[in-house]
Each structure stands twice: as structure tokens, then as C-alpha cells.
Amino acid sequence: MAVGRRDKTASFRGSRIVVAIVIGVLLGCVIAFLFPYGLFNPAASVQNRRIGKTNFQIGSSSCESSERSKMLKSEIVSLSEKNSELKKQVRDLTERLQLAEQGKDQAQKQFLVLGEQHKAGPFGTVKALRTNPTVVPDDSVNPRLAKILEKVAVRKELIVALANSNVKEMLEVWFSSIKRVGIPNYLVIALDDHIEEFCKSNDVPVYKRDPDAGIDAVGRSGGNHAVSGLKFRILREFLQLGYSVLLSDVDIIYLQNPFNHLYRDSDVESMTDGHNNMTAYGYNDVFDEPAMGWARYAHTMRIWVYNSGFFFIRPTIPSIELLDRVADRLAKQSNSWDQAVFNEELFFPSHPGYDGLHAAKRTMDFYMFMNSKVLFKTVRKDAKLKKLKPVIVHVNYHPDKLRRMKAVVEFFVNGKQDALDPYPDGSE
């Protein structure tokens, strides 16, 4: 019996040992999982001390960090501004390059707009384009004027003259000659109320612009040159509306209908101040400079100026550009003469710093569209030339305009052969 109890006691003790071992293993696993670096890790203490030290350093240098932050923000703003400026410069350079490229092939583009490209034909058969296409009419520019022009113009063409009270007597001789010939398509731009009423009372088509302080002041009281400068600004609206204009000063006598004698193959078709074939149509003038020795003779091309008081202008882009250029220069250069500026813009070629106007031009027959120098210096003294009947006579070379205008009417209309004799070749 005693032996049996000891076996049971030994067995029970063995079981408790096994349980204790199992519990110990389980606790070890739990502790290993929860504390991988052990319950007492000296590295952790050192790390905590370092973190505390760092926090202290950060706290002690907060002012210095704030200053650096401000400096960095300032530098960022400065760099941003410089970057924006660089971007702007790049855009400007890009635009300039694009404009340069546009200018480079402008002629080709213009040709492509006008028609298809063509091969050059056989020798002697090639003819360049001379007539620019007309602009698309825009009635919104001046609806009131557009309605007047619809009634007055013939085939989208008309004579236009500017007048104020200073030229009332010449204006009457002017429109009387137009009525005598039977020209229906003409219009007076009245620069003051008196001229407007005068035209209406004489059954003359008239148009008075809407008030414009700058233009009206010159128009009411200006002399011939001042009024001449206005026409380039005023004519622009006519061209934008799609009408061709035969611009006329009032010191002109009409003897035939000028629209029957126009070519209409150019942007501008103008009478000349020239008095013979050379001066009117151009010539090779030799300049002599003896000091140059072998190269003393220099050849130059010369032509007498177009008369800005009588020219036919078509509604094309070059024509409008011409009016803009002349009007702009006259506004900025108060001492400039409109006729000189008109010719410079028409004839000066492109050169460094200046882009010339690409406008086609034609010189009118100086015997048919006659200036007063041709009449008084040459025609009246030649038996054959006296039989000519010009289209117009422009008394542009002489200051006693009204008297000579009446004499021209007497000579060409009433047949009084000695009507021109009392007048000298030039001015008195």
C-alpha cells in the first residue's frame, strides 16, 4: 500500500513540473513579443535623453529659425518675380520672331490670297499683278454716310470735295462746271453750317459730318492747306464703306466727265504737277560731281510730285494704309505740307528703319488732267494745243485762283480765245 501512494505522489509532482515549464515558456513568449529589446534597454534611455536635448536646442533657436524662414520667403518671392520677368522676355522674343517670319513671307502670302501660284510663262509674256482687291464694305463705320452714298454714287464711285466758307465763291464755280458737264455722282463735305445751307439751296449733294471738336475747329476756319490735311482722315470712311473716291479741290474746272478717262488699274491714280513728258512721267537725271573724277556722273531717277488736290483712290488695303500714314504724320508734324507727305509715303522705298508703302500708282495724262502751269505756260501759246479739250483744269500753280477759274470757263466753255491772255505765266 505504501508503495502505491509513493508512485501516485511522484506522478503528481511530475505533472506539476510539466505545467510549470509550459507556463514559463508561454510567459517567455509573451514577454519576448511585448518587449523585443528587453525590460531594461539602455539604448532607449540614451535615445530619450537625445530627444530631450534636441527639443531644448530647437526651443532655444526658434528666433533664429524664424528669421531664416523670412529670408527664405523673401528669396522665393524675388526668384518668382525674376522668373515672371524672364517668361515675359521669352514671350516678347517669341512674338518678335513670329512677326519677323510673317514679314519674311508677306509677299508670298499676299500672292496666295490673290490667287493660285503660277509658273512663269515664256519670255516677254509675264505680267505682274497691278490691281489690289477692294476691301469688304462695312456700313457700320458710318450708317448715315452709307445711305447718302447709296443715292449719290454711280458704280460705287463719286467726286468728293471739302469746303468751308473761305472758299464759297470758288465752290460755286466748281459745282457749276460739274453740273454743266452733267456729272451726277459728286458730293460736298461741308465743314461749316453756312456751306451746308449754301449747297442745299443750290441743289448740290452735301454731307456734314457729326461734330468733332478737333476736326471741326480746323474745318470752320482753316485755310487751303489746313483743310487739305483733313481730307485724308475723312476719306478713310468712304473707302471703308467700299467706295472709290475722286478727291477734288475746289479750284478745279470740269470740262468732261473724269470717270470716262480713268484706268482703275492702281490703288492711286493722280494728276501730276509736271509740265512735260519728263517731269510728269519720270526721267534719268545725271548729277555731276567733278571731285569724284572717273565716277563724277551719278544717275538719279526723278519725277515731279503728284498733286494731292486731285487723285482717284480705290478702296483697297494699301490705299487705306496711305491715308492712315499721311493723316498720322500731319497730326504729329504741324509744319508739314500735306502734298509733300502724300508723295513721300507713296514713293519712298523700304530701307533700314522704314517700311515703304506697297501701293500701285498711275500718273494721269497731264494734257487731259491739266495743271495751270501747263495751261498758262505752254498750251495757250501753241495753236495746236489750244484746240485740246482737257478733262479738268486745276488752278494749282497760281494764287489768283477765282479770276483764273472764270477765265478758264470763258476760254474753254464760251469760246473766248483771248480770255487767258491778260494773265502772266506765273504769279503776279
Side-chain angles (χ1 to χ4, degrees):
M1 296 292 294
V3 172
R5 284 196 299 271
R6 281 197 296 267
D7 290 339
K8 290 181 180 180
T9 303
S11 176
F12 178 73
R13 288 177 180 176
S15 298
R16 284 189 296 177
I17 292 170
V18 171
V19 171
I21 291 171
V22 171
I23 292 172
V25 170
L26 291 173
L27 285 173
C29 291
V30 171
I31 292 171
F33 178 77
L34 294 175
F35 303 97
Y37 299 105
L39 293 174
F40 304 100
N41 187 3
S45 300
V46 172
Q47 185 175 3
N48 290 335
R49 287 197 298 271
R50 287 179 179 173
I51 292 173
K53 183 178 180 181
T54 302
N55 289 336
F56 174 76
Q57 289 175 346
I58 291 174
S60 65
S61 61
S62 60
C63 294
E64 183 179 352
S65 298
S66 178
E67 291 297 325
R68 287 183 179 178
S69 178
K70 290 180 180 178
M71 290 176 62
L72 287 173
K73 288 181 180 179
S74 177
E75 290 179 1
I76 291 171
V77 171
S78 178
L79 289 172
S80 178
E81 292 176 352
K82 289 181 179 179
N83 188 41
S84 299
E85 183 65 25
L86 286 173
K87 287 182 178 179
K88 182 180 179 182
Q89 291 177 1
V90 170
R91 285 196 300 270
D92 291 342
L93 288 173
T94 303
E95 291 176 0
R96 290 180 184 179
L97 287 173
Q98 290 174 348
L99 289 173
E101 288 298 322
Q102 291 174 3
K104 184 178 179 181
D105 61 352
Q106 182 179 10
Q108 183 178 0
K109 287 182 179 179
Q110 287 180 344
F111 182 79
L112 290 173
V113 170
L114 295 175
E116 297 180 359
Q117 289 180 300
H118 301 279
K119 292 182 179 179
F123 181 83
T125 65
V126 176
K127 297 293 182 183
L129 296 174
R130 289 176 172 80
T131 306
N132 283 298
T134 57
V135 299
V136 177
D138 183 6
D139 289 354
S140 66
V141 170
N142 190 329
R144 184 166 67 89
L145 178 59
K147 292 181 180 179
I148 295 174
L149 296 181
E150 286 179 5
K151 299 177 181 178
V152 173
V154 175
R155 293 189 293 274
K156 305 285 281 188
E157 299 175 341
L158 75 161
I159 300 170
V160 174
L162 280 69
N164 60 17
S165 296
N166 293 338
V167 295
K168 178 184 175 182
E169 291 181 286
M170 284 194 293
L171 177 64
E172 185 173 12
V173 178
W174 177 84
F175 66 65
S176 296
S177 70
I178 288 178
K179 289 182 176 182
R180 187 184 304 112
V181 174
I183 303 170
N185 49 329
Y186 70 102
L187 179 69
V188 174
I189 299 178
L191 299 176
D192 58 47
D193 295 335
H194 183 67
I195 287 296
E196 183 182 22
E197 293 302 319
F198 178 67
C199 288
K200 289 180 178 179
S201 64
N202 285 276
D203 197 25
V204 172
V206 63
Y207 163 69
K208 190 173 185 297
R209 301 176 68 258
D210 293 330
D212 185 311
I215 290 180
D216 290 353
V218 176
R220 287 192 298 270
S221 58
N224 289 341
H225 286 285
V227 172
S228 293
L230 293 179
K231 60 194 174 194
F232 298 99
R233 291 182 60 183
I234 295 174
L235 284 182
R236 193 186 204 277
E237 290 185 347
F238 287 78
L239 269 57
Q240 286 182 277
L241 293 171
Y243 290 85
S244 296
V245 174
L246 184 57
L247 191 280
S248 173
D249 283 352
V250 295
D251 56 348
I252 292 175
I253 299 297
Y254 287 79
L255 301 169
Q256 298 185 58
N257 190 329
F259 294 106
N260 297 333
H261 299 269
L262 297 174
Y263 285 80
R264 300 174 178 84
D265 63 349
S266 304
D267 298 297
V268 178
E269 195 169 341
S270 177
M271 74 170 296
T272 175
D273 274 1
H275 57 91
N276 55 28
N277 285 339
M278 288 177 59
T279 57
Y281 309 136
Y283 62 102
N284 183 358
D285 184 47
V286 180
F287 176 77
D288 184 10
E289 190 177 6
M292 288 298 296
W294 175 82
R296 64 182 291 180
Y297 300 111
H299 290 257
T300 69
M301 300 305 300
R302 297 188 64 184
I303 185 172
W304 285 34
V305 296
Y306 283 175
N307 191 291
S308 63
F310 190 86
F311 60 87
F312 179 71
I313 186 166
R314 296 175 56 250
T316 66
I317 292 297
S319 296
I320 294 174
E321 184 181 2
L322 171 65
L323 297 179
D324 288 351
R325 286 183 177 218
V326 176
D328 182 63
R329 283 187 57 185
L330 292 175
K332 295 176 180 177
Q333 304 167 6
S334 58
N335 295 326
S336 295
W337 180 26
D338 72 282
Q339 181 159 291
V341 175
F342 175 71
N343 280 271
E344 288 170 1
E345 293 298 337
L346 265 178
F347 286 96
F348 280 179
S350 297
H351 55 264
Y354 176 80
D355 290 328
L357 181 72
H358 299 283
K361 45 195 173 289
R362 169 180 281 275
T363 305
M364 293 177 173
D365 185 326
F366 70 92
Y367 280 128
M368 299 304 290
F369 297 89
M370 190 180 295
N371 62 58
S372 57
K373 180 176 182 177
V374 173
L375 175 62
F376 286 96
K377 188 178 179 181
T378 305
V379 171
R380 67 171 176 167
K381 300 175 183 178
D382 188 294
K384 291 183 179 180
L385 293 177
K386 285 178 71 174
K387 296 178 182 179
L388 287 173
K389 186 179 182 181
V391 177
I392 62 138
V393 174
H394 188 180
V395 187
N396 61 315
Y397 268 100
H398 301 87
D400 50 339
K401 297 179 181 297
L402 183 60
R403 290 174 53 223
R404 294 198 185 225
M405 288 177 70
K406 292 179 178 179
V408 169
V409 173
E410 288 295 320
F411 180 80
F412 287 105
V413 178
N414 300 329
K416 189 177 180 180
Q417 293 300 301
D418 61 349
L420 304 176
D421 294 346
Y423 300 93
D425 291 352
S427 56
E428 297 175 338

